[in-house]
């Protein structure tokens, strides 16, 4: 049997990807800080995936046919210390970038669409490559492409949702779903109301990724993990209202953005991603994997399924944005 190493095996993508690989006949080692129970074909390793010495030891002592790397390496230098370790010690290294590398586009995003890193003109944004996710992901992609190796594939997933991760414009589950559970209103920026967002259910993302693994045609290639579905942020807010009793209101964008005035990366995430019209074209990933567009679980069904499984002990830690939103709502009544 082929062996796969998944770094970040119990995260939003890993929770569906690991069993999908096992179903396809892989013996899977899943690296996670919070491992699950082992199964016949899956062994979880309680290991810090950012510990370079531990990971080097793993991949040099065991031959893995594929290493699927779901870890977040902040900045270029962090990745520089690791990428050759993977490329030299596996047949196929699957690197996770992000759809956020793409610039704004008036046409559906394709793999050859412009990247922010290559076209953005904001000097203050560009100089912060070490902290700006969209920029350092692009640099990490370029590092792989400039290497003498060809046994890699770059994946750019759109926003992925599953049982512990959900998005609403720039808000994440611990803020807006907690507020929904408490009967509190959530405020959203008016400019995003009719902007299309790109989301994909984790289970579908896992199927697409598993179709790329050890696929020789995918070596040296880049793919967007997407489904091409078109939903505006208001469409998505309405689904959260239906499935999670979310009370929301679109307000002046500048007032909303004052929530993030002390958090530059979050502020820029809105400006350089959430306020872009993210319509995607899945043609390349569908051709590579043989997955059919009609087999996607689209948002209205995927959200309903996942929101029904949220654990009762989830979301109840305090998030600083929650208090700020309370204050902003009170001050703007």
């Amino acid at each position: 049997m082929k062996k796969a190493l998944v770094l970040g095996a119990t995260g939003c993508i890993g929770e569906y990807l690991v069993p999908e690989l096992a179903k396809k006949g892989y013996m899977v080692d899943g690296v996670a800080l919070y491992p699950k129970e082992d199964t016949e074909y899956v062994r979880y390793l309680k290991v810090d995936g950012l510990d370079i010495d531990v990971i080097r030891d793993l991949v040099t002592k065991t031959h893995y046919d594929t290493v699927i790397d779901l870890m977040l390496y902040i900045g270029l230098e962090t990745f520089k210390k690791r990428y050759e370790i993977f490329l030299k010690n596996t047949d196929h290294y699957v690197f996770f970038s992000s759809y956020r590398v793409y610039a704004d586009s008036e046409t559906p995003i394709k793999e050859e669409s412009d990247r922010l890193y290559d076209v953005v003109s904001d000097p203050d944004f560009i100089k912060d490559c070490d902290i700006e996710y969209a920029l350092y992901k692009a640099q990490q992609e370029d590092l792989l492409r400039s290497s003498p190796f060809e046994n890699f594939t770059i994946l750019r997933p759109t926003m992925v949702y599953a049982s512990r991760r959900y998005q609403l414009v720039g808000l994440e589950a611990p803020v807006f779903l907690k507020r929904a559970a408490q009967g509190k209103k959530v405020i959203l920026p008016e400019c995003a109301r009719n902007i299309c967002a790109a989301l994909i259910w984790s289970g579908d993302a896992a199927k697409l990724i598993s179709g790329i693994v050890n696929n020789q045609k995918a070596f040296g290639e880049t793919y967007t993990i997407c489904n091409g579905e078109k939903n505006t942020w208001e469409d998505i807010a309405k689904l959260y209202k239906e499935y999670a009793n979310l009370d929301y209101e679109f307000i002046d964008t500048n007032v909303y953005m004052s929530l993030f005035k002390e958090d530059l990366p979050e502020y820029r995430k809105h400006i350089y991603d959430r306020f872009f019209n993210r319509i995607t074209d899945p043609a390349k990933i569908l051709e590579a994997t043989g997955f059919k567009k009609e087999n996607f679980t689209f948002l209205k069904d995927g959200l309903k399924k996942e929101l029904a499984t949220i654990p009762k002990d989830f979301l109840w830690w305090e998030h600083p944005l929650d208090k700020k939103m309370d204050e902003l709502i009170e001050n703007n009544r």
Side-chain angles (χ1 to χ4, degrees):
M1 296 180 70
K2 289 187 175 181
K3 295 199 72 173
L5 178 68
V6 179
L7 305 178
T10 57
C12 184
I13 292 176
E15 69 171 312
Y16 281 99
L17 178 58
V18 167
E20 187 68 28
L21 292 171
K23 192 191 310 181
K24 289 200 167 185
Y26 283 87
M27 294 294 296
V28 184
D29 281 350
V31 165
L33 286 175
Y34 304 99
K36 297 184 178 182
E37 296 246 344
D38 292 352
T39 66
E40 183 179 0
Y41 297 110
V42 179
R43 178 181 66 154
Y44 286 99
L45 307 173
K46 189 174 182 179
V47 169
D48 182 355
L50 293 176
D51 188 324
I52 189 170
D53 295 323
V54 172
I55 297 303
R56 182 191 292 110
D57 192 57
L58 260 179
V59 298
T60 54
K61 290 185 176 179
T62 301
H63 176 75
Y64 292 103
D65 297 276
T66 184
V67 173
I68 302 172
D69 191 357
L70 295 160
M71 301 304 297
L72 174 62
Y73 306 110
I74 298 175
L76 181 61
E77 293 305 313
T78 307
F79 188 57
K80 272 185 178 179
K81 297 173 183 177
R82 292 163 168 79
Y83 79 108
E84 286 191 344
I85 296 172
F86 296 124
L87 292 170
K88 289 177 179 178
N89 291 287
T90 185
D91 297 336
H92 188 200
Y93 175 55
V94 181
F95 172 71
F96 274 73
S97 181
S98 169
Y99 84 108
R100 281 176 59 184
V101 301
Y102 291 117
D104 199 5
S105 177
E106 295 181 359
T107 58
I109 292 170
K110 297 184 178 182
E111 283 73 7
E112 62 270 21
S113 295
D114 287 339
R115 300 184 308 171
L116 270 171
Y117 181 70
D118 301 317
V119 302
V120 71
S121 58
D122 179 352
D124 290 331
F125 184 53
I126 286 293
K127 73 178 177 58
D128 286 336
C129 280
D130 284 346
I131 63 170
E132 290 298 343
Y133 183 74
L135 302 183
Y136 65 69
K137 280 293 187 183
Q139 289 183 319
Q140 292 167 1
E141 291 183 358
D142 290 348
L143 189 61
L144 283 173
R145 292 195 190 95
S146 65
S147 76
F149 299 90
E150 297 181 351
N151 59 321
F152 64 86
T153 299
I154 296 169
L155 300 184
R156 296 169 176 164
T158 58
M159 284 178 278
V160 178
Y161 66 91
S163 61
R164 291 179 179 267
R165 187 175 181 189
Y166 304 91
Q167 304 85 8
L168 183 57
V169 193
L171 305 177
E172 299 287 340
V175 175
F176 74 90
L177 285 182
K178 178 181 177 181
R179 294 182 70 84
Q182 295 176 335
K184 292 182 178 182
K185 180 183 289 186
V186 169
I187 53 176
L188 303 170
E190 179 61 40
C191 75
R193 183 192 293 268
N194 297 313
I195 291 289
C196 283
L199 287 88
I200 187 170
W201 177 52
S202 181
D204 285 344
K207 290 175 183 176
L208 294 176
I209 296 161
S210 70
I212 289 297
V213 172
N214 281 324
N215 181 339
Q216 291 281 336
K217 293 180 180 178
F219 285 22
E221 295 287 342
T222 300
Y223 299 93
T224 308
I225 303 298
C226 63
N227 57 22
E229 187 177 11
K230 297 177 184 178
N231 290 291
T232 66
W233 282 118
E234 184 168 30
D235 293 333
I236 295 164
K238 287 178 179 177
L239 290 176
Y240 285 122
K241 181 175 184 178
E242 180 179 353
Y243 301 144
N245 298 313
L246 177 71
D247 181 17
Y248 66 89
E249 179 184 356
F250 284 92
I251 67 167
D252 179 83
T253 299
N254 289 329
V255 175
Y256 169 86
M257 290 297 285
S258 67
L259 289 168
F260 308 98
K261 61 184 178 182
E262 298 171 357
D263 191 338
L264 187 58
E266 282 297 309
Y267 183 88
R268 286 175 173 164
K269 179 178 76 173
H270 285 75
I271 300 299
Y272 290 107
D273 175 33
R274 301 304 201 255
F275 296 166
F276 288 173
N277 214 31
R278 296 301 202 179
I279 300 172
T280 57
D281 183 346
K284 184 175 180 180
I285 188 68
L286 293 179
E287 181 181 3
T289 61
F291 195 83
K292 302 297 181 184
K293 193 169 184 178
E294 58 268 23
N295 292 332
F296 281 121
T297 299
F298 288 106
L299 191 64
K300 63 182 180 64
D301 300 314
L303 272 185
K304 185 176 183 179
K305 168 187 170 68
E306 293 291 348
L307 286 168
T309 68
I310 294 181
K312 291 182 179 179
D313 63 347
F314 183 50
L315 304 175
W316 301 116
W317 51 278
E318 290 189 14
H319 194 291
L321 200 58
D322 186 36
K323 185 177 180 181
K324 287 184 179 180
M325 193 171 292
D326 282 337
E327 293 171 352
L328 192 60
I329 291 172
E330 181 65 29
N331 293 337
N332 285 273
R333 281 181 175 173

